[in-house]
Amino acid sequence: MAHLELPRATPFGDLVLDVHTWGPEDGEPVVLLHGFPQSAASWGPVAEHLAGTGLRLLAPDQRGYSPRARPDEVGAYAIEELAGDVLALVDSLGRDRVHLVGHDWGASVAWWLAGHHPERLHTLTALSVPHLAAFGRALVEDPEQRERSAYLKVFRRPGEAEESLLADGEAGLRAVYAGRVPAEAVERDVALMREGALGPALGWYRAMTDMSALPDVRVPTTFVWGEEDQATAAAAAHACGDHVDADYRFVALEGVSHWSLDEVPEVVAAEVRRRTGPAGA
């Protein structure tokens, strides 16, 4: 693994995002977007299973997670701003298009980009979070999804969320993983949150708006969902394909939770490879 720096001049100040990379510099680029409360390091196990494929993997510590990219303003974490960081990374590669993979909040950003900027993507692979229109409809119509998403209201409350997650030696933050993630990975993530990333990371939730009108996606897409996902219920997951007007693959993983990157990295890697093609082309 190596690292790059992505400087960005934004309305919220000059930011620098740290980018983890794996694979040959001339390989077909695949951008990997992490979720909450993880970081680009969460892609390490998947990257290990993609070694030798010729793919160039690039995983940014996204806005709020990179120490030099933590604006104070909630507006800095609007999904348009987060997507702009990804487009800047693609531009820095000198590429018109990349393969895009996202987990959790990273999947939300990936869906937004696929809906609004399909010309910048070869393919999309989304993990855990379905097309945002499917998710938004489930929040209205499905009681199970509303119950699973109840935490969103807490996360949107400044101060209260930070206090509840960091109390009692970060017990609340550790509970997010539901015992599904290796202890060393949990401690890595908790340390990042404790050292200044938690407030900015929660800014993503506080800048949320209704995404139920997101356009249908017209790029080849794979959606991977664990049947024991704590955050996404079955109704939203199974409705995802209704919003993809292109080749679509739905992968439901029995016995797997929200944390597929840690539980079954080999399966995630295989789906990324299947979607990006035998040589990443």
Side-chain angles (χ1 to χ4, degrees), residues 62-144:
Q62 296 189 83
R63 190 179 296 206
Y65 295 80
S66 288
R68 293 171 291 174
R70 294 176 181 169
D72 294 329
E73 301 91 334
V74 169
Y77 303 98
I79 199 163
E80 295 86 352
E81 293 291 330
L82 305 171
D85 292 339
V86 180
L87 292 176
L89 175 58
V90 177
D91 290 341
S92 75
L93 303 175
R95 297 278 187 147
D96 292 328
R97 299 176 183 239
V98 296
H99 301 278
L100 187 60
V101 184
H103 172 248
D104 184 76
W105 254 113
S108 295
V109 174
W111 283 114
W112 193 93
L113 279 164
H116 289 285
H117 295 282
E119 76 283 356
R120 304 308 304 271
L121 304 185
H122 289 301
T123 68
L124 169 66
T125 303
L127 312 174
S128 299
V129 173
H131 188 286
L132 301 180
F135 191 81
R137 181 174 180 179
L139 276 174
V140 173
E141 299 180 356
D142 181 42
E144 183 180 3

Side-chain angles (χ1 to χ4, degrees), residues 171-218:
L173 190 55
R174 290 185 173 86
V176 169
Y177 297 98
R180 297 288 196 138
V181 176
E184 60 273 17
V186 172
E187 294 309 311
R188 175 198 67 212
D189 298 340
V190 168
L192 178 66
M193 295 295 111
R194 185 176 57 237
E195 292 164 6
L198 181 57
L202 289 170
W204 292 45
Y205 294 92
R206 293 161 187 165
M208 284 175 61
T209 58
D210 181 10
M211 290 290 149
S212 58
L214 181 72
D216 288 352
V217 166
R218 293 179 171 81

